[in-house]
Amino acid sequence: SGKLTTLIEQVKTSEQQRQEAQIELLQMQINPHFIYNTMEVFSSKMKLYGHYEESDCLVAFANIFRYNISTNDALVEVRMELQQLRNYLRIQQLRYPQISFESDIPEDLLAAQIPKFTLQPIMENAISHGISDSSQALSLHIVAARKGDRLLFHMKDNGAGIPPEKLSELNHILHHAGHTPDITSDGHSVGLKNVNARLELYFGKESCLSITSVPGLETCVSFEIPCRLPE
């Protein structure tokens, strides 16, 4: 009977944990949607007072936020990631109006699968470290190409670049950090380390980020993943 009592207690505990998990999940759903809906209210108010540019940026931010909470899918289509790049760029152009962006991705590769929020942190890093003042022009260019059963990505910018010593250190960290890197607040890296760790978890070491840079001329962040296209 002691064993039966223990089993009953375990079932009760399991049921309680399940209920607590459901409550937590529902709470997690409510909070983000409240924030998203509040941003829509602010955006409408901005338009009412003629702040159209700021309103558009808030809409772009709300779209990124909705993208983050709208699906639990780990992998999304490349076209969805591109849309988030454009939303993010719209926000940054409020501060840096001289930024331009070009995408060179073949139409048939837009349906390929990529981990969610892979491209935006790379663009964010390029803008954060490529621009020294708000009047500086910065060109961003993303290229994707298929090579056999692999999909290659290159995000290029013509910003400040990375000094050779820093570049060597950064590439070493990216290629040797493992699945649980030491995420620190130092300069080039929280977003890149996060993306790098997820790429490695999904696809292995061969998909880690690689960075090349010529100071004052160009920086390029590259990676390759298995080419996953719909049947």
Side-chain angles (χ1 to χ4, degrees):
S1 79
K3 187 175 182 180
L4 179 59
T5 301
T6 300
L7 286 172
I8 291 172
E9 289 300 320
Q10 287 176 345
V11 168
K12 287 181 178 177
T13 301
S14 177
E15 177 65 17
Q16 182 181 356
Q17 290 175 339
R18 185 183 68 81
Q19 290 176 347
E20 288 175 353
Q22 287 180 325
I23 291 170
E24 185 177 357
L25 178 60
L26 289 170
Q27 189 64 43
M28 288 172 64
Q29 290 174 339
I30 287 295
N31 289 340
H33 282 284
F34 165 74
I35 295 170
Y36 174 75
N37 291 335
T38 301
M39 285 191 287
E40 285 195 320
V41 172
F42 288 154
S43 175
S44 297
K45 199 70 172 177
M46 286 176 180
K47 281 186 177 179
L48 186 63
Y49 286 99
H51 299 293
Y52 300 110
E53 190 174 17
E54 292 84 352
S55 174
D56 287 347
C57 288
L58 190 56
V59 168
F61 179 68
N63 287 337
I64 293 174
F65 192 82
R66 180 169 56 182
Y67 176 65
N68 191 29
I69 66 174
S70 64
T71 174
N72 291 322
D73 294 340
L75 299 175
V76 296
E77 289 188 349
V78 169
R79 73 176 80 249
M80 295 178 69
E81 281 286 286
L82 274 180
Q83 184 57 48
Q84 300 318 305
L85 280 186
R86 295 188 177 97
N87 281 324
Y88 179 72
L89 185 66
R90 182 69 189 88
I91 297 167
Q92 289 299 318
Q93 285 174 327
L94 186 63
R95 182 181 182 187
Y96 303 119
Q98 304 301 320
I99 298 176
S100 61
F101 173 59
E102 182 181 355
S103 171
D104 186 8
I105 299 179
E107 183 69 29
D108 61 315
L109 297 182
L110 292 176
Q113 298 286 296
I114 186 173
K116 193 175 183 180
F117 275 113
T118 294
L119 301 180
Q120 185 268 330
I122 298 175
M123 175 180 277
E124 182 175 356
N125 189 77
I127 294 173
S128 297
H129 300 285
I131 295 181
S132 56
D133 64 75
S134 60
S135 64
Q136 180 180 342
L138 182 72
S139 297
L140 300 161
H141 187 199
I142 185 168
V143 180
R146 186 171 182 175
K147 183 180 179 182
D149 61 353
R150 307 286 288 176
L151 189 56
L152 282 60
F153 286 88
H154 305 282
M155 178 82 79
K156 301 177 182 179
D157 71 77
N158 65 344
I162 307 171
E165 185 175 330
K166 177 64 180 177
L167 179 65
S168 178
E169 176 188 345
L170 186 53
N171 274 314
H172 178 80
I173 290 171
L174 294 174
H175 286 264
H176 297 88
H179 297 166
T180 53
D182 176 22
I183 302 294
T184 65
S185 59
D186 89 313
H188 286 279
S189 303
V190 175
L192 292 186
K193 288 179 181 177
N194 181 288
V195 169
N196 191 68
R198 287 187 289 118
L199 287 173
E200 184 178 345
L201 279 167
Y202 286 125
F203 308 120
K205 279 281 188 186
E206 61 272 22
S207 292
C208 286
L209 299 176
S210 290
I211 306 175
T212 59
S213 185
V214 179
L217 186 63
E218 179 184 88
T219 296
C220 180
V221 178
S222 303
F223 65 94
E224 60 176 82
I225 60 176
C227 187
R228 298 184 177 183
L229 289 165
E231 297 295 332

